[in-house]
Amino acid sequence: MPKFPFGDHTPLVNDGAALREIDAVAGASSSLGLISTLVFGTCVSTILAWEEKDYEDLTRSMAVNIFLLCMSFGTACSMFTTAFSLLDYYYAQMLRSIDDNMSNREEGEDSEAMRRNLHMDAISLMRSLDHWRGYARNSMWISMVCLICGAGAHIVINEKLGPVVYTALSALAVC
């Protein structure tokens, strides 16, 4: 029987499939959290380093607004992803800890029934959050797109570019 990192017991439901599924979800959430934290840090540091300037040409003035909007929206989306993934990972690990404590209690039918109920409830609860995981994943992608579009706007603000580059950056923003 397989050993688990949080104890020397074997989960009861489906030979450990319940907790392996939850561990896989927790691992995926931790990856999302890492990426979104990096995007969050980049967006926040860029916004905090921003110095307001007045530009006379319309293109740069619009690029300033696009830049600030993209960085702000990217920050918000990455913050949602970070918060959700952190809580998702935390609750999966908490479930592991509770299961470990329950397995170390006296053996008996009541103990096994309680653990079986815990596993079944945990699976249905974690599955009920699947749509939120999808939102968190999509939010991470949106934050990365905002970061890229904001970088394009920053290039327009700071460089004198020809019409071909403006067209390319506009096409990037549309994609």
Side-chain angles (χ1 to χ4, degrees):
M1 296 194 135
K3 297 289 184 180
F4 292 89
F6 288 93
D8 295 332
H9 66 281
T10 303
L12 298 172
V13 177
N14 296 334
D15 198 22
L19 291 183
R20 281 195 300 271
E21 181 181 332
I22 291 171
D23 282 344
V25 167
S29 284
S30 66
S31 298
L32 278 179
L34 173 66
I35 295 167
S36 64
T37 301
L38 293 172
V39 172
F40 177 79
T42 303
C43 288
V44 167
S45 65
T46 304
I47 290 172
L48 292 177
W50 179 252
E51 294 179 14
E52 185 69 34
K53 295 178 186 173
D54 288 329
Y55 294 103
E56 292 185 15
D57 60 14
L58 181 61
T59 304
R60 287 186 179 187
S61 297
M62 289 297 291
V64 167
N65 293 331
I66 291 170
F67 170 77
L68 291 174
L69 184 65
C70 285
M71 290 295 122
S72 299
F73 193 63
T75 301
C77 288
S78 62
M79 190 68 229
F80 168 73
T81 302
T82 301
F84 181 83
S85 357
L86 177 68
L87 290 172
D88 199 30
Y89 184 79
Y90 170 79
Y91 288 122
Q93 296 306 312
M94 181 65 77
L95 171 67
R96 251 333 179 144
S97 177
I98 291 169
D99 184 62
D100 189 39
N101 288 334
M102 289 175 79
S103 72
N104 291 331
R105 289 185 181 174
E106 293 180 24
E107 293 297 322
E109 287 183 29
D110 287 343
S111 177
E112 288 181 16
M114 285 176 58
R115 285 185 65 210
R116 185 170 284 112
N117 288 339
L118 171 69
H119 291 193
M120 297 309 287
D121 289 346
I123 288 172
S124 59
L125 177 67
M126 293 302 271
R127 286 184 181 155
S128 74
L129 296 174
D130 282 347
H131 66 282
W132 286 100
R133 279 186 204 88
Y135 296 153
R137 183 187 59 247
N138 293 341
S139 183
M140 186 223 27
W141 285 113
I142 290 169
S143 69
M144 291 178 72
V145 167
C146 286
L147 182 63
I148 291 168
C149 290
H154 196 264
I155 290 170
V156 170
I157 294 166
N158 292 316
E159 302 293 330
K160 292 193 183 263
L161 305 172
V164 173
V165 177
Y166 287 129
T167 305
L169 289 173
S170 298
L172 176 66
V174 170
C175 293

